[in-house]
Amino acid sequence: MDQQPNNPLHGVTLQAILEFLIERIGWDAMARAVDIRCFTHEPSLTSSLKFLRKVPWARAKVEALYLTTKARLRAQP
């Protein structure tokens, strides 16, 4: 198996990323950070997964939000 020690997203699925964000910051904060319809209008995990798998720029923003949220939570005492 190919190792990717410098990739913080290695082994993390898109579904796991969304579940983490939903649990930690909620749909409203996600919609403010990444203004996409699947977060603002009747948000659901299924619709978000479908959209983000098809739209690379939106997925990149969600992945960045995940990394900053994890870093912020780690930095809290």
Side-chain angles (χ1 to χ4, degrees), residues 16-72:
I17 290 171
L18 286 174
E19 289 171 348
F20 173 86
L21 291 171
I22 293 165
E23 182 181 319
R24 297 304 193 289
I25 65 173
W27 289 108
D28 290 335
M30 289 168 58
R32 284 191 301 275
V34 183
D35 188 20
I36 52 178
R37 188 171 175 84
C38 62
F39 288 175
T40 60
H41 295 83
E42 299 181 32
S44 75
L45 182 61
T46 304
S47 67
S48 298
L49 284 169
K50 284 181 185 177
F51 179 77
L52 293 170
R53 286 182 177 133
K54 294 178 184 177
V55 184
W57 65 263
R59 182 178 181 144
K61 286 188 174 199
V62 170
E63 289 171 345
L65 176 62
Y66 169 77
L67 292 174
T68 57
T69 303
K70 277 196 78 112
R72 192 175 309 131

